[in-house]
Amino acid sequence: MQPDDLAKALTSRLGNQLIGVETFVGMAGRVRFRSEAALDLFRTVRDDLGFRHLSMVGGIDWVDHREVFYVVWSDDDHQYAILSTDLPADQPHIESATPVWESANWHERETWELVDIGFDHHPDLRHLLMPDGYAFHPLLRSFKLHEPEELEVKRRSV
Amino acid sequence: MSEMWLNMGPQHPMTHGLWNLRVKIDGEMILDVDPEVGYLHRGIEKISEDRHYNEVITLMDRCCYVAGFAWEHMYILASEQALHLSPPERAEYLRVMCEELQRIASHLMWYAAFVVDIGLQSPFLYGMRDRDLILDLFQSYTGARMTYEYMRVGGVRNDLPAGFTDRARQVMDWLDKKFVDYDRLCLGSTIFRGRCDGLGVMTARDCVATGVTGPMLRSAGMKRDLRRDRPYSVYKQLDFEVAVADGADVTARYLVRMEEMRQSVRIVRQVLDWLDHHPGPVLADRLPRWLGAPYAPQGREGYLLKRNYPKGVGFSAIEEPHGEAQAYVVNEGGEHPYRVKFRSPVFANLSAARHYMIGYHVADIPPIMGSVDICIGEVDR
Amino acid sequence: MTDVPALPKVAPTMAESYRLTGELPMVGEAAVPFIEIETVRAKEFIPAAKEAFSALIIEQGQSKVLRPTFNWAGRNSLFPLHWGLACCAIEFAAAFSARFDAERFGIVPRSSPRQCDLMIVNGTVTWKVAHKLITLYEQMPEPKWVIAMGNCATGGGPFRTAYSVVPGVDKLVPVDIYIAGCPPRPEAMIDGILKLETLIRERKE
């Protein structure tokens, strides 16, 4: 399906919760939505549009806000779509997608642990990759790694 | 009340990799399962934010160490999309040859480890012997048996040596003969059939709900293969069948992987024929200097920041030997990627352990976990 | 002494019989050498043997007899722990395949640390597994050795700057041999084990 069809199908059901659908190379599109009633969007995407498979949930820390993205796959159209939402940096919460797609369980555990995004009503939100009781969220931009002592070249990054 | 939680791991001869399988057992019956991963979490995604795009390739080899070329290919496809570059066609065929040879080598490694869990000792030696033939091929043009660092953004590092295609064809002929022997050894063995038939059943519906992909999904009868459904690189021009089996048990997964190896041999033969008749460059000619063409100068000059390079996001999904792997690369105009995120198929396959482990016996754990084909480097990243 | 009857003249070995007659003797008709045994009474033999042997031990002591024997036994039957952490574990497994054949040196991987004397740390060590690694090391009985195989175990490897990686396993357990490589080839791993065997050969205590 094309991004326009995706946009049409979603707007008719969700209205103003949808911010927009952008084109994305090789995909049905990238859906930007508001995080308030995320479960409705997830249910619509799974049942009405046929994206029954959730492949990946990831988080990105843009320093002034955070982004969560869900990559879903449709078996009928053989297409991926990305659902992405922005969360405020001081209160990054979103509803857990586990009631809709069971595969979200471990992915959300990892995203919480690394990028500090709270998933409400997650059945089992505990550490997955780091030891129990690890107090930091390593993939935040504010968490700096030690540079190796041998590297003398002056690096610049964005 | 004789239930107890038992730790199988992180040091256990059966778990191929560093993870802990906590099983709740009542005597020999498994009541609940809680896999515990993270013992090999090396922070690859965080380290990649400090590396150049071509330097992340070294981490991709070590991420999934039995299927290094597949993860290199996946990351490179996403990076090229994010950096708005594209490789020459010969490089794409070389990458596909690498990936398919790697699929055969990975399945042979799986086979060698799997049969030892069942109790057969000699197929381990046969599997490793044939895998070594493929690793010799890899060594002849990359220089390494396992961690190749061969692909670059914009192509691959170097072309094949002379006589490679003939040697590769000899290996493919040898493998075709040996697959017959493997089937005779395993499917003809009452021990193998008795230990594997009807075990670890996971229906296609459960697979889709829990995100399980790859041979586990195809063994449940669902014909889903990203090389056919969403062809990437040059797979659209290649001719092969998708391996599917019914039964959804351990024997079905064995059959699927065996058939995948045969189809990979078929693909490699087609690619070798193409490579013989189409010489050409293997690296794109207009690469940005800061990206590091093979002869980029060392020192401060090599790390110049290129201003005003367009931003981008890249997503790639490949059919890795273990399942579907995905990469999401965010390019914010700098010389390092802003964020790389990977999806590992074994991560999802392991997370669904409750569906295929509960109700069986403790002695059934090795065949079932062997059929899942676990490589912990990619689960923990 | 009782009378021993005279023996027929036969060749003492099969080779000599073949030389004499030009044909190999059949089994059953083979020439068997007959050795005369003088019966010595046990009462006289054992004290004499004890005296001779203890003189040997007291003189040359542990250093010439017992310690070399234990070293020889130990270095020719190193039992590593059946444990794989990361990529180097694949080369560790490949070393036990028919092409490289590490078992010809007496190396047999054992599953339980209580039966091992060698721990090959093959892969990246993270802080999450550090406690378990030390527990396994403590479960191994003395004498025990540790080989750090690969760049990650030697000094953190490509992941040295990561937040969850121990920069080298020698921060946790004492290491005897370091094998460089990422991953080291199976021949390199066997070479490292042979260097450990040379080290064991020179053990003095």
Side-chain angles (χ1 to χ4, degrees):
Chain A
M1 78 174 72
Q2 297 302 316
D4 306 324
D5 306 329
L6 194 61
K8 239 190 306 211
L10 283 171
T11 2
S12 60
R13 285 174 186 82
L14 294 166
N16 64 345
Q17 202 201 345
L18 187 75
I19 300 180
V21 177
E22 305 162 1
T23 51
F24 203 98
V25 178
M27 276 205 190
R30 182 198 222 171
V31 176
R32 290 199 177 275
F33 63 96
R34 272 179 249 280
S35 59
E36 278 83 37
L39 269 185
D40 290 333
L41 176 100
F42 295 152
R43 286 211 178 88
T44 312
V45 164
R46 183 191 69 174
D47 299 326
D48 300 333
L49 296 170
F51 288 99
R52 275 193 305 274
H53 175 108
L54 174 72
S55 298
M56 170 158 73
V57 179
I60 307 178
D61 181 38
W62 308 100
V63 183
D64 49 351
H65 65 275
R66 275 173 222 172
E67 183 185 335
V68 187
F69 64 91
Y70 302 76
V71 177
V72 288
W73 164 267
S74 156
D75 277 311
D76 314 317
D77 302 320
H78 297 308
Q79 279 251 305
Y80 281 106
I82 298 189
L83 317 170
S84 126
T85 180
D86 290 330
L87 303 172
D90 49 355
Q91 272 209 338
H93 293 280
I94 188 171
E95 286 276 325
S96 165
T98 324
V100 180
W101 290 292
E102 204 181 321
S103 50
N105 196 326
W106 272 28
H107 284 114
E108 287 180 350
R109 274 172 74 180
E110 185 200 336
T111 310
W112 163 73
E113 166 176 56
L114 295 178
V115 195
D116 191 21
I117 290 175
F119 290 96
D120 305 328
H121 312 299
H122 188 277
D124 188 21
L125 199 64
R126 57 190 161 103
H127 278 283
L128 181 73
L129 298 176
M130 299 304 293
D132 278 334
Y134 189 69
F136 303 101
H137 298 278
L139 253 64
L140 295 176
R141 288 314 262 199
S142 50
F143 185 89
K144 301 274 187 230
L145 292 177
H146 291 292
E147 268 191 49
E149 312 79 63
E150 306 84 29
L151 198 66
E152 292 161 350
V153 175
K154 184 163 184 270
R155 306 184 285 108
R156 277 183 264 154
S157 55
V158 177
Chain B
M1 280 294 282
S2 61
E3 299 169 358
M4 67 171 180
W5 280 98
L6 189 69
N7 275 340
M8 295 179 83
Q11 186 268 328
H12 197 282
M14 174 276 299
T15 62
H16 303 290
L18 202 65
W19 61 291
N20 190 4
L21 181 67
R22 304 182 61 232
V23 284
K24 182 170 169 189
I25 53 176
D26 176 11
E28 279 283 314
M29 181 75 79
I30 299 175
L31 301 174
D32 200 4
V33 155
D34 178 28
E36 198 178 285
V37 296
Y39 289 101
L40 198 58
H41 177 64
R42 298 174 276 195
I44 286 182
E45 294 176 359
K46 181 76 180 181
I47 300 177
S48 303
E49 294 173 8
D50 290 333
R51 301 261 194 279
H52 287 244
Y53 286 91
N54 276 338
E55 289 176 351
V56 179
I57 283 289
T58 63
L59 301 174
M60 290 294 99
D61 283 318
R62 287 141 181 95
C63 198
C64 180
Y65 31 87
V66 288
F69 270 133
W71 276 66
E72 278 190 27
H73 195 186
M74 171 193 83
Y75 163 75
I76 282 292
L77 287 172
S79 300
E80 284 176 351
Q81 219 182 357
L83 293 169
H84 318 287
L85 297 168
S86 64
E89 203 181 3
R90 188 175 167 92
E92 294 199 301
Y93 271 90
L94 280 171
R95 286 177 186 169
V96 166
M97 180 193 78
C98 293
E99 189 178 329
E100 290 304 316
L101 282 174
Q102 184 72 74
R103 191 182 312 271
I104 304 173
S106 167
H107 283 331
L108 283 170
M109 181 80 214
W110 161 80
Y111 174 79
F114 175 60
V115 292
V116 170
D117 293 339
I118 307 290
L120 314 174
Q121 294 283 342
S122 13
F124 167 75
L125 299 172
Y126 300 144
M128 297 300 269
R129 170 197 68 190
D130 295 333
R131 179 175 169 262
D132 265 333
L133 293 173
I134 299 186
L135 294 187
D136 282 344
L137 286 178
F138 287 152
Q139 193 182 316
S140 66
Y141 67 94
T142 62
R145 283 162 52 97
M146 257 174 60
T147 47
Y148 323 95
E149 291 133 36
Y150 177 62
M151 299 187 192
R152 296 282 182 268
V153 177
V156 295
R157 183 175 77 199
N158 55 275
D159 209 336
L160 301 171
F164 177 85
T165 44
D166 296 324
R167 269 204 305 278
R169 281 194 195 98
Q170 281 175 351
V171 173
M172 295 296 116
D173 294 335
W174 167 269
L175 283 175
D176 265 337
K177 282 199 303 249
K178 290 300 148 186
F179 291 150
V180 177
D181 286 344
Y182 291 169
D183 274 341
R184 236 189 274 145
L185 271 174
C186 290
L187 295 177
S189 156
T190 39
I191 297 177
F192 187 88
R193 300 303 295 268
R195 282 202 78 179
C196 293
D197 278 348
L199 239 58
V201 171
M202 188 157 170
T203 56
R205 198 192 158 84
D206 281 337
C207 283
V208 171
T210 48
V212 169
T213 53
M216 288 189 74
L217 180 61
R218 288 195 282 281
S219 73
M222 188 156 175
K223 196 169 182 170
R224 183 160 116 194
D225 189 332
L226 276 182
R227 297 174 290 169
R228 198 27 76 72
D229 295 337
R230 185 181 182 260
Y232 53 96
S233 200
V234 292
Y235 278 105
K236 228 182 273 204
Q237 290 132 24
L238 296 171
D239 179 36
F240 62 100
E241 299 284 326
V242 173
V244 178
D246 287 319
D249 59 358
V250 173
T251 316
R253 288 170 205 145
Y254 168 88
L255 292 170
V256 165
R257 288 194 178 103
M258 280 291 151
E259 184 60 33
E260 276 185 11
M261 281 204 269
R262 287 187 202 102
Q263 296 300 320
S264 287
V265 168
R266 187 171 156 189
I267 297 177
V268 169
R269 284 205 175 104
Q270 294 168 40
V271 173
L272 289 172
D273 289 335
W274 189 96
L275 286 172
D276 269 343
H277 295 116
H278 295 86
V282 295
L283 198 61
D285 44 357
R286 294 181 62 86
L287 288 175
R289 189 154 169 259
W290 55 264
L291 191 60
Y295 308 106
Q298 293 301 307
R300 296 186 51 147
E301 268 186 76
Y303 293 93
L304 277 176
L305 181 67
K306 179 86 164 98
R307 292 176 187 81
N308 302 322
Y309 199 85
K311 304 187 181 181
V313 181
F315 176 86
S316 73
I318 62 159
E319 186 71 30
E320 205 227 5
H322 309 279
E324 287 173 16
Q326 294 156 13
Y328 185 83
V329 174
V330 177
N331 159 34
E332 281 292 295
E335 57 203 14
H336 308 297
Y338 187 83
R339 172 90 165 100
V340 292
K341 171 87 177 84
F342 304 113
R343 187 254 185 194
S344 151
V346 187
F347 189 85
N349 294 0
L350 262 189
S351 69
R354 281 213 172 90
H355 290 263
Y356 52 78
M357 292 277 280
I358 294 186
Y360 297 105
H361 294 239
V362 171
D364 296 329
I365 295 181
I368 301 178
M369 295 326 284
S371 74
V372 175
D373 195 4
I374 297 171
C375 171
I376 285 294
E378 60 175 82
V379 174
D380 292 340
R381 276 161 279 121
Chain C
M1 291 282 295
T2 49
D3 266 352
V4 179
L7 291 168
K9 193 123 173 93
V10 292
T13 59
M14 274 170 70
E16 187 152 340
S17 122
Y18 173 68
R19 247 181 282 130
L20 290 174
T21 56
E23 39 186 274
L24 286 172
M26 302 288 292
V27 175
E29 305 173 66
V32 176
F34 192 86
I35 309 168
E36 261 197 33
I37 302 176
E38 193 174 314
T39 324
V40 176
R41 286 205 231 140
K43 264 207 309 205
E44 296 154 5
F45 174 73
I46 290 178
K50 245 197 218 173
E51 213 180 290
F53 198 50
S54 35
L56 183 69
I57 289 194
I58 290 168
E59 259 179 60
Q60 322 243 300
Q62 205 198 343
S63 63
K64 286 276 175 64
V65 177
L66 290 177
R67 177 48 49 195
T69 312
F70 286 139
N71 285 350
W72 167 84
R75 73 171 185 268
N76 283 314
S77 67
L78 284 169
F79 286 179
L81 184 61
H82 186 135
W83 196 31
L85 283 91
C87 341
C88 288
I90 306 291
E91 296 290 59
F92 174 77
F96 289 92
S97 66
R99 182 174 179 179
F100 303 104
D101 194 14
E103 289 200 13
R104 62 193 146 124
F105 299 106
I107 301 171
V108 179
R110 308 291 298 169
S111 311
S112 164
R114 306 265 182 213
Q115 301 168 0
C116 298
D117 50 4
L118 173 62
M119 181 157 83
I120 300 185
V121 182
N122 44 24
T124 321
V125 186
T126 57
W127 290 111
K128 193 166 181 177
V129 87
H131 169 75
K132 310 258 158 69
L133 190 145
I134 298 177
T135 308
L136 285 166
Y137 178 75
E138 288 172 354
Q139 283 177 337
M140 284 163 60
E142 291 281 348
K144 55 190 170 188
W145 297 277
V146 174
I147 291 184
M149 175 181 175
N151 288 355
C152 289
T154 307
F159 307 102
R160 191 184 169 93
T161 52
Y163 47 87
S164 58
V165 166
V166 179
V169 76
D170 50 6
K171 310 272 187 291
L172 303 170
V173 294
V175 173
D176 296 289
I177 298 276
Y178 298 86
I179 307 178
C182 193
R185 285 187 62 104
E187 292 104 322
M189 185 194 102
I190 293 176
D191 179 56
I193 293 181
L194 291 179
K195 284 198 163 66
L196 178 67
E197 293 187 5
T198 323
L199 211 72
I200 297 174
R201 194 198 181 103
E202 278 134 34
R203 259 170 72 102
K204 292 283 185 283
E205 37 72 39

